[in-house]
Amino acid sequence: LCGGVCFVDYRISEMMPGTLGMVFKSVFLLLAFFLISVTIYSFALTARYENTIGATLKNALLLTVDKLPYTILNDSAEQFGAVVLSWWNTGILMLTIPVWILAGTGILAFINSCILRRVFRVFDEKAEGGDEERTDMEE
């Protein structure tokens, strides 16, 4: 629903003349970037941790902002970079179509998981360190 609203607003802003249209298009593209990022983090958080839906969305939004370099790498370089590289010219497109059909989604998922493991490493180290401190206190 949010993506649809963002898309419709972007299309409406394309009809606006001058600088105002450009400003609104930039705002809606930025919102779409954050929406995609929150969605990616939400699925990863749901798969890795047990939490409520609201807390998962809140944590995904916080991760999107807190880990902005990883977010940009994950969204821009991986997702859009692969598509732009494939569409660079017709010859490359013809070579990459079989790769996309056979393994494209799996390759992108693998790259995505490598990036997200680095993001979640901080939380895993804190959880391991917290358990060790508790066992020391109990002894």
Side-chain angles (χ1 to χ4, degrees):
L1 182 63
C2 292
V5 169
C6 192
F7 176 74
V8 169
D9 287 342
Y10 178 81
R11 295 293 293 183
I12 290 171
S13 67
E14 282 185 333
M15 293 182 242
M16 295 176 141
T19 307
L20 184 64
M22 184 61 118
V23 168
F24 276 119
K25 282 194 293 189
S26 300
V27 166
F28 293 127
L29 283 175
L30 187 64
L31 286 174
F33 173 79
F34 276 105
L35 179 66
I36 290 169
S37 301
V38 167
T39 303
I40 289 171
Y41 281 122
S42 295
F43 283 118
L45 286 168
T46 301
R48 191 163 179 120
Y49 303 105
E50 190 171 327
N51 218 338
T52 63
I53 294 171
T56 300
L57 290 174
K58 183 184 94 174
N59 290 336
L61 182 62
L62 291 173
L63 278 173
T64 298
V65 175
D66 187 41
K67 304 291 184 181
L68 195 58
Y70 287 112
T71 302
I72 292 170
L73 177 68
N74 194 14
D75 289 353
S76 302
E78 178 198 341
Q79 307 290 340
F80 300 119
V83 173
V84 168
L85 180 65
S86 296
W87 286 60
W88 193 260
N89 65 29
T90 309
I92 293 175
L93 179 63
M94 292 302 139
L95 291 173
T96 57
I97 285 176
V99 173
W100 281 113
I101 290 172
L102 296 174
T105 307
I107 292 169
L108 289 179
F110 177 74
I111 294 169
N112 192 8
S113 70
C114 290
I115 294 170
L116 289 173
R117 283 197 336 211
R118 286 180 169 247
V119 171
F120 293 145
R121 184 183 308 156
V122 175
F123 302 120
D124 294 339
E125 288 174 358
K126 284 183 182 179
E128 289 174 7
D131 291 341
E132 290 173 5
E133 289 176 9
R134 279 188 234 147
T135 55
D136 292 340
M137 287 182 185
E138 290 175 1
E139 292 175 2

